[in-house]
Amino acid sequence: MEAEQLQATLAKHTLWIKGEGGERADLRGADLSNTDLRGADLRGANLSGADLRGAYLSNTDLRGADLRGANLRSADLRGANLSGANLSGADLYGFKVASKIIVFTHLKYKIYAFVTDKKEMIIAVGCQVCTTQELRKKVKAGEFANEQKFIEEAWPYFLAVEKDLKRMKKELQAEEKNNGA
């Protein structure tokens, strides 16, 4: 995608977010590989099938974005907000969020878990992306009622991954302490 076309799309999207007209960014299937989108507000944007390989998405707001089938290989997502983003079928191999990442696959559910540079424990399960605390609250509140099969199949594995995340978080904190001393 040409830089001018992308800038125009992002400007219209900003107006849409603010409720001042504009339109939701439709970047379906767009080639945004190696594009610098640092700090962009892409809340609710349609990026399904987009090629975001190696894209610079640090501190980007991707809340509620449609990233189904997007290629995020080696994308820099440090500090990005992915809450509520749909990552179903997205390729996240080698994406950068922190120094420690767990990738766990169970049946049809891919669980990506990581500790962010802010020491938050994040989990991407199916198409849900949230902190581990948020996921627990969602399950408790019955937000997965339509996905009961997911809960039955993947929840025990989530609990195991959560233990690994807590261990990784402690390791990162210890590394920082040792490097700072």
Side-chain angles (χ1 to χ4, degrees):
M1 175 175 262
E2 297 294 323
E4 288 176 10
Q5 184 183 4
L6 177 60
Q7 290 306 316
T9 300
L10 294 177
K12 289 177 188 174
H13 185 72
T14 299
L15 292 173
W16 177 76
I17 289 169
K18 293 178 179 179
E20 299 173 0
E23 59 189 42
R24 177 183 179 203
D26 185 354
L27 296 165
R28 287 178 288 183
D31 182 358
L32 300 169
S33 56
N34 299 308
T35 301
D36 188 348
L37 292 166
R38 286 179 274 204
D41 190 343
L42 291 169
R43 283 178 284 169
N46 187 346
L47 292 153
S48 60
D51 183 356
L52 292 157
R53 282 176 295 151
Y56 301 95
L57 298 164
S58 58
N59 300 311
T60 299
D61 192 342
L62 290 160
R63 287 177 289 170
D66 184 352
L67 290 157
R68 288 175 296 159
N71 186 344
L72 289 155
R73 282 179 168 250
S74 301
D76 184 350
L77 289 162
R78 288 177 282 197
N81 188 341
L82 290 160
S83 295
N86 187 339
L87 288 162
S88 184
D91 184 351
L92 293 165
Y93 182 82
F95 69 123
K96 298 173 191 82
V97 288
S99 56
K100 305 277 183 175
I101 299 172
I102 299 172
V103 177
F104 176 82
T105 304
H106 170 66
L107 301 174
K108 63 183 176 187
Y109 304 108
K110 229 177 218 178
I111 300 176
Y112 294 93
F114 48 91
V115 178
T116 69
D117 46 4
K118 295 177 184 172
K119 303 301 177 280
E120 294 174 303
M121 295 186 302
I122 304 292
I123 191 103
V125 174
C127 62
Q128 296 284 329
V129 178
C130 52
T131 66
T132 55
Q133 286 179 322
E134 288 170 343
L135 185 61
R136 284 181 171 282
K137 286 178 187 173
K138 287 180 179 193
V139 169
K140 210 173 207 178
E143 288 187 36
F144 284 95
N146 295 333
E147 301 177 36
Q148 191 58 39
K149 192 168 179 84
F150 160 76
I151 295 301
E152 291 168 4
E153 291 178 353
W155 188 250
Y157 297 95
F158 160 71
L159 295 175
V161 169
E162 187 180 40
K163 279 184 183 178
D164 283 341
L165 282 173
K166 287 178 181 177
R167 178 186 47 76
M168 285 179 6
K169 184 176 176 178
K170 286 180 184 176
E171 287 174 7
L172 282 171
Q173 289 169 334
E175 283 176 26
E176 277 185 357
K177 190 175 181 180
N178 290 338
N179 291 338

